[in-house]
Amino acid sequence: MGSLEVDIAGLKMKNPVTTASGTYGSGKEYSDLIDINRLGAICVKTVTLKPMSGNPPPRLWETPSGMLNSIGLQNDGVEAFIDNDLPFLSKQDIPVIVSIAGTSIDDFSRLAKMLSAQSDIDALELNISCPNAKVGGMIFGSDEKLAAEVVSKTKMASTKPLIVKLTPNTGDISAIARACERAGADGLSLINTVYGMSVEVDTLKPRLGSIVGGLSGPAIKPIAVRMVWEVAKVVNIPIIGMGGILTAEDALEFIIAGASGVAVGTANFIDPQAPIKIIDGMNKFLEKHGVSSIQDLVGALKIDS
Amino acid sequence: MHQITARVVENKEITRDIFRLTLFAPAVARESKPGQFVHLQCGVNQSYILRRPFSVHQTVGVDAFDVLIRVVGDGTKWLAARRPKDSVNLIGPLGRGFTIGAELKRALIVAGGMGVAPLVFLALKLAEEKVKVYTVMGAASKDQLLDFMDLKRLTRKIAVSTDDGSQGHKGLVTDILGKEIEEADPDVVFACGPLAMLRAVAGISRRYSTSCQMSLEARMACGVGACLGCTVGAKDNYLKVCSDGPVFDTQELGW
Ligand SMILES: Cc1cc2nc3c(=O)[nH]c(=O)nc-3n(C[C@H](O)[C@H](O)[C@H](O)COP(=O)(O)OP(=O)(O)OC[C@H]3O[C@@H](n4cnc5c(N)ncnc54)[C@H](O)[C@@H]3O)c2cc1C
Ligand SMILES: Cc1cc2nc3c(=O)[nH]c(=O)nc-3n(C[C@H](O)[C@H](O)[C@H](O)COP(=O)(O)O)c2cc1C
Ligand code: FES
């Protein structure tokens, strides 16, 4: 049997599958339904320095092959995370990735410092790509200079590997990716949701309380695969690909395009078994094609010249 | 909480566009409490992807339960087309149901339209606990008064309103609620129905200083408290309808 093991930004993962931040709570929510320890890693909901109440409802709208959300980073703040959620995660024996966001560079540094002191956290994911937070969020992720600055300052404050999560809502994602790499990022994850909107015509009202939101699910997969492919060509750090992954075949598309790992988001809502089915499906694929390691498939895209 | 691929035992159209779908799921039937819901995957397809939430209507024997489904869109249409031996993937039981306090003696149930779905199960539990139950029920018309006979059997008095006057008071349940509260003098009002009705029920209950629990609806993605998509604004924060609710005390909501 082929090996699914990967090493992403220093994280030793027994398979390339992790969860997409914000779709998996702190993991506890799903632990009745799946064996969390089968995952390659777990990435939890973005935490901020202070509690955030999030955006006004309605926050969800289902769209063809996808969904819009405007959660707005609702969370109880980093201290509550450490007290209430981390103990559960500590008991799991898979790497834990904690996603962080802030409204200023100082926020990111302080979060990185506080979380670096926690031995049960294995990596930090810098969320500079949330389309739903009024301040910060995507602003950092759509400007090369700002992105580089937040990454290098956070890197200085952190002793954990730093993965930077990129937004598709920018002109040149490759330029941002390169800026993050130069500033010291250990890995990249992409993509966050695609900025979107829907209108209820009978009432002339927006479907979401905050008018605009982020599109996720199968509808965005081709965009995500293309961005992973573009970014993989210009950086040397590993990439975690995500956006609409429902099946092993979807996951393999990302890997072949250049991702070393994949994250499962919206698919968890559809079928909590999705990550397990993806892992099993990858195993079958390796076997069927006689591939000895999933790593041999990373960036293996064949282009006829 | 379980994820089960449940076999369809029966699917019956009880009135136009309303189906009672019975699913074989022993663990869910055993563990469900009134007011809890199940999250149903309505087929696997490319156009719509999310599960749909439905109240547990009643348990059927010890191994099965049913849901009442009003066909309103693609997901419910798919469910309506299920036949015995087909299967439906479900997650459940989910959420917090109605709280039946140990000292509860008298209760008033308010059902509006499809909101009746979780309330027969509740009335059954209340009857088991020897609580005196009164019911106020409203619907568009007589043929839409679902579960009328069951509720009538389980309650001391049932008052009815219909929009078209085909049975009972012509108008809204909330027109007759005050009078029924005065008569029944309940310790608590349990309500489920359209949002406008629930808002009004909350107001009337407050006027009579009667505590009030109501089951809310919200669009859901995960159904298990992970995505924070289904929130309702409470006094000074947001609560998750799927896991903090769907049943809330109106005081928690600040209504
Ligand atoms: C806790 C809870 C219990 C419910 N119990 C029942 C019940 O017992 N019987 C019943 O007939 N209906 C019930 N509903 C409403 C039911 O979930 C919707 O009617 C159903 O999701 C519609 O799906 P659709 O694909 O047919 O409609 P569409 O309108 O095509 O659905 C589009 C999207 O909107 C969502 N949606 C549409 N209407 C609602 C709604 N009212 N509430 C939440 N999400 C909605 C769908 O889930 C889907 O994601 C309940 C809802 C909640 C939240
Ligand atoms: C409900 C919801 C909440 C999300 N919250 C966050 C978040 O807090 N932080 C973050 O970095 N990404 C968040 N995301 C984005 C996902 O992590 C992921 O990048 C995106 O949804 C694309 O993957 P998917 O199509 O598999 O869901 C959220 C997505 C959804 C659907
Ligand atoms: S539907 Fe995800 S938290 Fe309620």
Side-chain angles (χ1 to χ4, degrees), chain B:
Chain B
M1 186 196 306
H2 307 273
Q3 185 179 356
I4 296 168
T5 299
R7 191 166 45 76
V8 174
V9 178
E10 186 184 38
N11 196 9
K12 192 163 179 249
E13 186 165 16
I14 52 175
T15 177
R16 207 184 129 77
D17 281 342
I18 295 176
F19 289 76
R20 190 179 59 220
L21 172 66
T22 310
L23 297 168
F24 182 82
V28 178
R30 230 177 3 252
E31 292 167 31
S32 292
K33 296 194 182 66
Q36 287 191 300
F37 70 96
V38 287
H39 216 19
L40 303 183
Q41 186 170 36
C42 303
V44 176
N45 66 78
Q46 294 290 315
S47 57
Y48 63 88
I49 56 171
L50 296 176
R51 287 169 183 266
R52 273 87 172 115
F54 295 90
S55 303
V56 173
H57 172 245
Q58 274 193 72
T59 55
V60 180
V62 287
D63 288 337
F65 72 95
D66 62 27
V67 285
L68 280 190
I69 297 167
R70 183 198 292 277
V71 177
V72 296
D74 288 341
T76 45
K77 204 179 290 169
W78 186 88
L79 289 169
R82 290 314 93 203
R83 294 292 165 259
K85 297 203 181 70
D86 286 349
S87 56
V88 177
N89 190 275
L90 67 91
I91 302 174
L94 296 171
R96 178 182 65 172
F98 294 98
T99 305
I100 303 175
E103 62 298 337
L104 183 61
K105 297 221 165 45
R106 307 168 73 84
L108 179 74
I109 286 177
V110 187
M114 270 319 282
V116 72
L119 297 174
V120 181
F121 192 12
L122 174 67
L124 274 165
K125 264 290 178 309
L126 290 170
E128 264 173 41
E129 305 286 329
K130 306 271 185 291
V131 177
K132 294 196 175 80
V133 184
Y134 299 80
T135 298
V136 183
M137 175 174 210
S141 63
K142 186 177 173 181
D143 61 316
Q144 303 278 311
L145 286 168
L146 309 172
D147 286 339
F148 177 75
M149 291 314 286
D150 284 329
L151 279 170
K152 191 172 172 184
R153 183 170 52 80
L154 289 162
T155 63
R156 304 205 161 219
K157 181 184 174 201
I158 184 161
V160 170
S161 74
T162 49
D163 296 351
D164 63 0
S166 50
Q167 186 169 337
H169 167 78
K170 182 172 192 303
L172 303 174
V173 268
T174 43
D175 300 340
I176 55 175
L177 180 60
K179 183 171 144 281
E180 298 304 324
I181 292 183
E182 279 169 26
E183 209 172 297
D185 188 26
D187 305 313
V188 58
V189 171
F190 294 113
C192 185
L195 187 62
M197 179 200 100
L198 294 178
R199 282 281 189 180
V201 170
I204 295 166
S205 303
R206 191 167 3 93
R207 219 171 303 138
Y208 287 93
S209 308
T210 306
S211 85
C212 182
Q213 295 177 29
M214 44 185 50
S215 179
L216 301 187
E217 286 189 358
R219 285 168 197 274
M220 294 183 179
C222 71
V224 300
C227 75
L228 302 170
C230 63
T231 50
V232 55
K235 262 186 257 163
D236 44 25
N237 60 345
Y238 291 113
L239 297 171
K240 293 176 270 189
V241 171
C242 73
S243 57
D244 297 323
V247 177
F248 294 94
D249 191 300
T250 47
Q251 282 197 332
E252 289 173 278
L253 299 171
W255 285 12

Side-chain angles (χ1 to χ4, degrees), chain A residues 6 10-20 24-28 30-31 34-44 81 85-98 118-123 160 262 275-276 279:
Chain A
V6 290
L11 292 186
K12 302 256 176 298
M13 294 167 52
K14 60 187 170 219
N15 62 63
V17 179
T18 177
T19 55
Y24 222 64
S26 68
K28 212 186 305 171
Y30 277 102
S31 59
I34 87 160
D35 177 4
I36 305 263
N37 284 313
R38 289 220 37 211
L39 298 170
I42 183 168
C43 180
V44 299
F81 169 78
D85 297 329
L86 197 53
F88 168 83
L89 294 163
S90 308
K91 279 189 235 126
Q92 317 303 318
D93 51 5
I94 51 170
V96 174
I97 306 167
V98 177
Q118 301 293 328
S119 60
D120 294 314
I121 295 172
D122 299 284
K160 309 279 185 191
V262 290
I276 305 293
I279 295 163

Side-chain angles (χ1 to χ4, degrees), chain A residues 126-188:
Chain A
L126 231 60
N127 178 3
I128 54 168
S129 48
C130 180
N132 289 319
K134 283 211 180 59
V135 245
M138 213 161 74
I139 295 171
F140 292 111
S142 32
D143 180 296
E144 274 175 69
K145 273 212 197 74
L146 273 178
E149 194 181 348
V150 70
V151 171
S152 64
K153 295 260 168 68
T154 312
K155 180 79 186 163
M156 277 194 286
S158 163
T159 58
K160 309 279 185 191
L162 211 61
I163 298 163
V164 183
K165 182 154 177 188
L166 302 181
T167 174
N169 308 307
T170 175
D172 185 355
I173 195 171
S174 303
I176 307 277
R178 269 197 310 264
C180 292
E181 182 181 34
R182 277 197 302 270
D186 300 296
L188 299 171

